[in-house]
Amino acid sequence: MAGRITAVSRNGTYSFSKPNRESVTLLVGLGVEGDVHAGETIRHQFRMSYEPDLPNLRQVHLMHEELFDELALKGFAVSAGQLGENITTRGVDLLGLPTGALLHLGEEAVLEVTGLRNPCAKINDFRKGLLGEVFALDPVSGDFTFKSGIMAVVRRGGPVRPRDPIEIELPPTPHRPLERV
């Protein structure tokens, strides 16, 4: 199955969830037009208090719809936009992408993957116990696997809609694994 976009979401005000839209427009170097997290510098509410001038590496949040399937098996009903993502996907191993991978969305837009979304405690306010389900501890390495999506910056803008295809362009090797941003 080819990768595709299943939903797009944005919110102009700080809120945990983002309403689904028929389309969103990606703006180069900023993010999703009309979204509270769009901007050249950090827009994450907590991080703005102590790192306001750092580049915004979290312009666009992508989440794989397969996570919702996994959560449903554990009794958590979650749908697109409810965990704050801008773009919901299916058929793409987002968490397996390396840093610097390019995602070609639809006909025009291109995102560059910057890292993993660091899940916050607000997830438990949304659904009690959900935070423990969006990361896992590797029993061998002792490392955490964060499952709540990836972050990206906009390299080429354009409209993005549900059902748009996603093509992946990997960066030159050696690949750098995703880290939290």
Side-chain angles (χ1 to χ4, degrees):
M1 172 171 71
R4 63 182 166 83
I5 295 170
T6 59
V8 294
S9 311
R10 69 172 166 78
N11 198 339
T13 60
Y14 285 105
S15 170
F16 186 73
S17 298
K18 297 184 181 202
N20 294 158
R21 309 292 180 164
E22 290 183 21
S23 69
V24 295
T25 301
L26 301 180
L27 303 173
V28 174
L30 296 174
V32 177
E33 182 177 44
D35 191 79
V36 70
H37 292 104
E40 292 179 1
T41 57
I42 287 177
R43 292 291 184 256
H44 183 271
Q45 224 172 355
F46 175 70
R47 292 181 68 192
M48 281 177 24
S49 66
Y50 66 94
E51 299 176 315
D53 299 325
L54 288 181
N56 186 3
L57 300 179
R58 300 166 55 108
Q59 295 173 3
V60 181
H61 176 202
L62 297 97
M63 189 171 294
H64 50 296
E65 194 173 57
E66 291 86 351
L67 176 62
F68 304 151
D69 300 339
E70 177 185 327
L71 294 172
L73 294 173
K74 297 177 180 184
F76 294 97
V78 180
S79 60
Q82 288 187 317
L83 296 182
E85 77 275 12
N86 299 110
I87 298 174
T88 311
T89 69
R90 183 164 286 278
V92 176
D93 179 12
L94 295 177
L95 303 179
L97 293 172
T99 301
L102 299 178
L103 303 177
H104 297 260
L105 309 175
E107 295 180 15
E108 299 175 44
V110 178
L111 297 178
E112 180 180 339
V113 176
T114 56
L116 293 168
R117 177 192 183 195
N118 187 12
C120 72
K122 289 183 180 183
I123 292 176
N124 273 341
D125 295 338
F126 174 70
R127 297 275 191 284
K128 186 176 173 128
L130 187 57
L131 180 60
E133 300 299 333
V134 295
F135 67 89
L137 180 64
D138 183 319
V140 176
S141 70
D143 293 332
F144 283 105
T145 299
F146 294 90
K147 301 189 288 186
S148 57
I150 63 170
M151 307 306 291
V153 294
V154 181
R155 293 297 180 219
R156 189 167 63 220
V160 177
R161 298 172 185 83
R163 296 176 298 287
D164 278 351
I166 302 170
E167 294 183 28
I168 300 166
E169 181 181 342
L170 295 175
T173 56
H175 293 156
R176 290 186 354 235
L178 295 178
E179 296 178 359
R180 294 179 290 160
V181 293

